[in-house]
Amino acid sequence: MTRVSILGGSGYGGGELLRLLLGHPHAEIGQVTSRRLAGKPIARAHPNLRGRTDLRFADPDDLDPCNLLFLALPHGAASERWDELEPLAERFVDLSADFRLDDAERYAAHYGPHPRPELLETFVYGLAEANRDAIRGAARVAAGGCNATVSILALLPLYEAGLVDPSRTVLDVKGGASEGGAEVDTGSHHPVRRGVVRPYRPTGHRHAAEIGQMLRRVVPEGSDVRVHMSVTAVELVRGAALLAHAFPTDVVTERDLWKVYRARYGGEPFVRLVAERSGPYRFPEPKLLAGTNYCDVGFEVDPEGGRIVVAAAIDNLMKGSAGQAVQAMNLMMGWDETAGLGFSGLHPC
Ligand SMILES: NC(=O)c1ccc[n+]([C@@H]2O[C@H](COP(=O)([O-])OP(=O)(O)OC[C@H]3O[C@@H](n4cnc5c(N)ncnc54)[C@H](OP(=O)(O)O)[C@@H]3O)[C@@H](O)[C@H]2O)c1
């Protein structure tokens, strides 16, 4: 068995990693850290795992070496303490935004100066459907952001096929409350958050940087790639739901789109095309994806406006974070890519 530990195991991403790793056929959990709950049973933070493990949280300063270390820390924490972390594992999967961008200038434009810019080129972007060959055998992986993941998966086939103007796509994402993590703040307090449909980042969402990075890789060099992204906080616990508005460079029919999307995603274990033409489930719905590693994708052509609308949904904590990270681990280790990720969701729920 491969010994795998989690730094930042009391948070939402860490909790999902634990749930997945407890059912994983090849990974054995070494340590799971929490500063607040060091010495306490795992179920203190993750009551869904009651009775599933005797593990207790370890203090982050007491981490022993392991084969693979998941980093599930708030933004900035991993890069700041990288020199302490590096000797602890042969392989790393980071869930934060610290190492997702390959360009220090672009990072600085969105997040401010990177404390260790030389590390950026040592990580590969962790979204398997967009970067599988690089993840296979990699030692350091940066899992993609949740809103970026759903957006990249929705748009990749269109950009790869050169069907749309790469500079004009509008991304309208609705995100659930767990996107903000387990730390409580004034925006997540129940009376404030309940019932919201609150524009969270109408412009300037940081995930636009990684979406641009990944789309730029699949279009002709020098293309003007710009995504215009808005994120709205809605009353969901889990889920990121996207409507992408893309503008074709030529006349496109839904039949054309089916060909392109089927060819691109037909062999992908975790991307499902939504084919229903009637009824309530004819577009992706995040509720159905809770706890699963799927991204559901559907689309419709607006003939009047010359517009393609792509709808996509994920569970932000799964395909948008821990599930994607486990999928990447499976590739890094040469295991079956789907190992530990078989849950197919609940209906109704
Ligand atoms: N939530 C999402 O939907 C989502 C999706 C994609 C990516 N991400 C990214 O994944 C990372 C984790 O997100 P999350 O939602 O799991 O956050 P979270 O719920 O706030 O959890 C953060 C974890 O880090 C620990 N921690 C905080 N500061 C630390 C420090 N200085 N040293 C050691 N441990 C520390 C916390 O535990 P203690 O305080 O108990 O030590 C906790 O276990 C973030 O970078 C986030 O941006 C999140």
Side-chain angles (χ1 to χ4, degrees), residues 145-152 173 175 179 205 207 211 229 231 240 314:
C146 46
N147 298 323
T149 292
V150 72
S151 304
I152 294 167
V173 183
E179 283 197 357
H205 196 285
H207 289 184
I211 300 168
M229 183 177 198
V231 178
I314 56 171

Side-chain angles (χ1 to χ4, degrees), residues 210-334:
E210 60 193 273
I211 300 168
Q213 168 177 284
M214 299 314 288
L215 294 179
R216 226 166 264 120
R217 291 185 188 179
V218 304
V219 296
E221 211 178 324
S223 302
D224 180 13
V225 173
R226 268 176 290 164
V227 290
H228 310 276
M229 183 177 198
S230 300
V231 178
T232 300
V234 295
E235 174 137 14
L236 280 175
V237 172
R238 288 170 185 251
L242 165 77
L243 284 183
H245 306 272
F247 298 92
T249 46
D250 212 336
V251 176
V252 173
T253 64
E254 269 170 42
R255 187 186 283 252
D256 298 330
L257 293 184
W258 273 110
K259 262 194 217 147
V260 167
Y261 275 84
R262 275 214 186 94
R264 182 58 172 85
Y265 288 141
E268 286 295 346
F270 295 115
V271 181
R272 305 187 300 191
L273 298 181
V274 177
E276 285 82 358
R277 296 324 305 161
S278 61
Y281 298 112
R282 55 188 207 289
F283 292 107
E285 156 77 67
K287 191 168 90 144
L288 297 175
L289 301 175
T292 83
N293 196 45
Y294 292 115
C295 175
D296 281 358
V297 179
F299 42 78
E300 196 162 270
V301 173
D302 171 8
E304 303 254 328
R307 179 177 57 129
I308 299 168
V309 181
V310 187
I314 56 171
D315 178 339
N316 54 295
L317 294 175
M318 282 293 295
K319 187 62 180 166
S321 189
Q324 176 180 158
V326 168
Q327 191 178 346
M329 171 185 75
N330 290 339
L331 284 167
M332 293 163 85
M333 303 303 298

